[in-house]
Amino acid sequence: MPEIPKLQTNKTKSLPQVVFYILAILTFLLLGFIAVGSRSDPGTIDTTAYLRESLYFKENGGLPNALSLLLSGRYRQANQHPLYLLLLSLVASRDISFYPKAKLLTLAIGVVTFIFTFLTARKLFGERVGMLSAIFLLFNQLFMSYTTIVAAESLLALFFLLSWLFMAKGFENNKYFIYAGVFSGLAYLTKGSGLLLIPSFGLSSLLVYRLKVLKNKYFWSYFLFFFLSSFPLIVRNIVVYRNPFYNINNYVMWFDYYEQFFIPGIWQNPPTLLTYLQSHSLAFIYERFIFGIRGQAQLFIRALNSYSLVPLYELTGLVIMLLFIVGLYHLRNRGIKMFSLIITLTFFVLFSWYYYVVPNTRFLVPLIPMISVIASLSLSNLIQLSPRKLITVLPYLLIVALVFTAGIALYSEPIQNPFTNIEFADGYFDLLNWMKANIKEGDVYILGPTHSYNFEWHSSLGGRRIDFPLLSSYDEWEKFSKDNNVVYVILEKQILERRKDILGNYFSYEPEKGLVMLKEMEGWRIAFKDQREPTSFLVLRRSEDV
């Protein structure tokens, strides 16, 4: 059976090593608190969606009732998966303070992931790799970014790491595949990309054990325990969507552009692989994939980039990627070598295709702890070739690096109170108060797609909100607004930019004045507007209702 190399057989921690790990955790916490306090915008990426959906669990029985909500199909959210939302529900409330509480909870998850990363590295490869892994992850900009906002990535990264650890152990003693299955299932319960662990495990097992793996009960136990740990979501998907692994992003990957998301009726008949192949030429498919490979390669390097006082841009990411590749070669456990390579290539290929629609480094976050460990193994091997004196003083050098980092952080970045440093879009509460006073229970209003004016995560509003649809003409807009009994349309800069084809003849945005009406939109009148300049929002009301 293949063996995992143990570069340091002595697992007894010396005083410098203990000091290093304590300082590493404290430095991570310091950088995390600084980032949490400075990230003041609740409109960051999917923040308000996570907060809103976790309130659903909170207000419908909380954690004790979550299983019933999922198995009965009452919980229908098909984008964010439930595990992170359930953790957020523990601190959820219809109050502005929910936002900083959610950030601090996410930071706590990130700290746990950070600790497990260096503990995993130390367990598999020895003390030196453990310390280097802590340094690599501590300085990774992307991991720290998604650990200090409201996002599921740090929790997903934790379960990816633990799946990887027990697969490494499982390729030595197959019974550990059971634990790998549990954590892989929890990864899927956290985010859809957790599903990628299944084919990566299956293919790597086949490559290592050949077809005889099909007779191995622990191989099949992996899939069984994956199902057992994620079955509430799988059952919910079957009950509601007739598909055990349903997620709206499974269809978004067959879009030509992201705004297709807002075409009326698209979710009654969404695009699939089959319809995509029928409607696109092989030449276009090839060009899209090559375009995605080039872009995703840049994102991969950027995802591994580290904090630096010198503008090295992607250089540090490139170095870490090279160390990762060399580290893969040095893995003597053929099973985990195959899995690490396959899961990395799976992410790269899948998100190269996805890049054309949604290019984003966030999809790579779950791989960062694993890459940090393997890159550290490679660097440790290089250090092993260095003079013995350097090897001896390495823990002290790393301690100095941590102290220097903490000092620079304290000197250059103030620690702000996350409960008071919250910034909302201009006119945010004026619009909220007007909506509370004027929008009645049966009213349909359009607001979005926008990151700036989302109120549902802290306030209860009457009426039914829908996004401004993607349409091809003003006539289509008129028909849509009448068919859906739209009473109000709330416009702001982002909506205007995204729906310029419909709204551009009637409104413009000027930096000094803000939103400006160029001419009246037939059938609509301004019911309310931002009282300050530049005008941040306009509320239109159907003329016959004025």
Side-chain angles (χ1 to χ4, degrees):
M1 192 70 66
E3 293 183 357
I4 297 173
K6 295 178 173 58
L7 300 179
Q8 285 184 246
T9 56
N10 181 13
K11 291 291 185 71
T12 303
K13 291 189 287 292
S14 64
L15 179 60
Q17 291 163 347
V18 172
V19 171
F20 167 82
Y21 288 124
I22 293 173
L23 281 177
I25 295 170
L26 293 176
T27 305
F28 189 94
L29 279 169
L30 173 63
L31 296 178
F33 277 125
I34 290 173
V36 164
S38 65
R39 298 183 188 281
S40 56
D41 181 10
T44 304
I45 56 170
D46 297 332
T47 292
T48 55
Y50 280 119
L51 298 176
R52 181 186 67 243
E53 295 302 328
S54 63
L55 275 169
Y56 175 87
F57 283 113
K58 179 74 172 185
E59 295 172 350
N60 286 273
L63 198 58
N65 197 43
L67 190 61
S68 173
L69 293 173
L70 286 161
L71 297 182
S72 66
R74 282 179 287 164
Y75 180 72
R76 301 178 66 88
Q77 166 61 239
N79 187 3
Q80 286 87 15
H81 285 204
L83 185 53
Y84 178 66
L85 299 175
L86 286 168
L87 292 178
L88 287 181
S89 72
L90 298 175
V91 297
S93 61
R94 284 205 180 269
D95 186 84
I96 300 298
S97 67
F98 180 24
Y99 172 54
K101 289 176 183 177
K103 286 192 294 180
L104 290 170
L105 176 61
T106 307
L107 174 61
I109 295 169
V111 172
V112 173
T113 306
F114 175 69
I115 293 171
F116 270 95
T117 298
F118 66 69
L119 289 178
T120 296
R122 180 178 177 271
K123 182 174 185 62
L124 295 180
F125 306 118
E127 204 69 68
R128 189 190 308 138
V129 180
M131 290 190 291
L132 292 173
S133 298
I135 291 292
F136 277 2
L137 193 57
L138 174 68
F139 287 103
N140 184 273
Q141 289 179 309
L142 187 66
F143 183 78
M144 181 61 74
S145 175
Y146 279 91
T147 292
T148 52
I149 62 174
V150 182
E153 273 69 17
S154 59
L155 183 63
L156 179 66
L158 174 62
F159 293 134
F160 260 74
L161 175 71
L162 293 174
S163 298
W164 182 76
L165 166 64
F166 285 105
M167 285 180 196
K169 294 172 72 66
F171 282 111
E172 288 190 320
N173 184 338
N174 293 160
K175 70 179 182 181
Y176 286 104
F177 286 152
I178 293 174
Y179 303 104
V182 170
F183 289 114
S184 296
L186 293 175
Y188 178 63
L189 204 58
T190 303
K191 207 168 177 70
S193 54
L195 192 62
L196 300 179
L197 290 162
I198 286 184
S200 301
F201 168 75
L203 182 55
S204 57
S205 297
L206 283 169
L207 290 173
V208 172
Y209 299 117
R210 308 297 181 186
L211 292 178
K212 66 181 181 181
V213 75
L214 300 178
K215 298 179 180 179
N216 187 323
K217 66 179 181 180
Y218 292 114
F219 171 76
W220 295 109
S221 294
Y222 171 86
F223 300 100
L224 172 63
F225 281 87
F226 178 98
F227 171 78
L228 290 176
S229 60
S230 60
F231 88 93
L233 179 59
I234 292 174
V235 171
R236 190 292 303 263
N237 287 341
I238 293 172
V239 170
V240 177
Y241 300 108
R242 304 294 186 265
N243 180 342
F245 302 115
Y246 183 88
N247 186 290
I248 61 172
N249 293 299
N250 298 343
Y251 301 100
V252 172
M253 68 186 300
W254 305 116
F255 284 3
D256 288 317
Y257 49 94
Y258 184 73
E259 290 299 304
Q260 283 183 257
F261 194 99
F262 303 101
I263 295 176
I266 193 168
W267 295 106
Q268 278 70 55
N269 188 26
T272 63
L273 170 61
L274 181 59
T275 61
Y276 193 89
L277 292 175
Q278 291 172 342
S279 58
H280 295 76
S281 68
L282 291 177
F284 177 82
I285 292 172
Y286 172 78
E287 289 174 4
R288 169 174 170 167
F289 192 53
I290 295 301
F291 173 80
I293 287 174
R294 290 170 179 162
Q296 191 64 28
Q298 293 177 349
L299 291 186
F300 230 107
I301 300 303
R302 201 175 303 159
L304 300 178
N305 196 17
S306 300
Y307 292 102
S308 175
L309 297 176
V310 182
L312 297 177
Y313 303 104
E314 278 80 25
L315 179 59
T316 53
L318 181 61
V319 170
I320 292 171
M321 175 56 72
L322 291 174
L323 287 172
F324 169 66
I325 294 171
V326 174
L328 280 175
Y329 175 79
H330 283 108
L331 285 172
R332 282 184 277 168
N333 181 321
R334 186 163 176 259
I336 201 59
K337 177 188 292 188
M338 287 293 102
F339 174 80
S340 302
L341 178 62
I342 290 168
I343 190 68
T344 303
L345 290 176
T346 300
F347 266 72
F348 182 79
V349 171
L350 178 64
F351 291 112
S352 289
W353 179 259
Y354 207 59
Y355 180 89
Y356 190 79
V357 180
V358 187
N360 204 316
T361 52
R362 71 181 295 184
F363 304 129
L364 303 175
V365 173
L367 297 182
I368 289 175
M370 178 195 76
I371 291 175
S372 297
V373 172
I374 296 175
S376 299
L377 171 64
S378 180
L379 182 57
S380 180
N381 286 340
L382 291 175
I383 292 173
Q384 188 70 31
L385 303 175
S386 304
R388 184 169 183 81
K389 189 173 183 180
L390 175 61
I391 297 174
T392 303
V393 301
L394 180 64
Y396 300 95
L397 294 176
L398 296 179
I399 288 172
V400 170
L402 291 174
V403 173
F404 179 76
T405 299
I408 290 293
L410 287 170
Y411 176 77
S412 59
E413 297 285 346
I415 300 179
Q416 302 182 70
N417 185 346
F419 288 90
T420 57
N421 186 35
I422 305 175
E423 296 181 2
F424 295 93
D426 291 338
Y428 184 91
F429 289 101
D430 292 336
L431 177 58
L432 172 61
N433 291 331
W434 183 90
M435 292 174 68
K436 285 182 174 180
N438 291 273
I439 295 181
K440 297 186 285 293
E441 192 61 39
D443 290 343
V444 177
Y445 66 96
I446 285 180
L447 175 58
T450 176
H451 288 293
S452 302
Y453 297 91
N454 292 295
F455 309 107
E456 294 86 351
W457 63 272
H458 59 76
S459 298
S460 297
L461 293 171
R464 180 169 69 90
R465 172 180 169 173
I466 58 176
D467 288 312
F468 202 114
L470 181 66
L471 302 165
S472 58
S473 69
Y474 188 84
D475 289 341
E476 286 188 9
W477 154 247
E478 278 289 272
K479 183 177 186 306
F480 176 89
S481 63
K482 290 177 181 177
D483 289 348
N484 289 274
N485 299 313
V486 176
V487 178
Y488 296 102
V489 177
I490 301 170
L491 300 181
E492 52 93 37
K493 181 182 178 183
Q494 189 177 143
I495 299 171
L496 178 59
E497 290 174 345
R498 296 173 75 164
R499 299 295 178 263
K500 196 164 251 184
D501 289 348
I502 302 296
L503 300 171
N505 292 329
Y506 303 93
F507 302 94
S508 68
Y509 186 87
E510 300 175 10
E512 293 184 359
K513 295 182 178 181
L515 290 172
V516 176
M517 176 180 274
L518 302 176
K519 63 178 181 179
E520 284 194 3
M521 207 162 87
E522 186 178 350
W524 298 87
R525 299 289 185 271
I526 293 178
F528 184 62
K529 62 181 290 188
D530 189 2
Q531 301 302 302
R532 294 162 294 183
E533 286 195 351
T535 302
S536 298
F537 65 83
L538 297 171
V539 180
L540 306 180
R541 184 174 181 175
R542 191 176 289 280
S543 297
E544 55 263 36
D545 296 327
V546 172

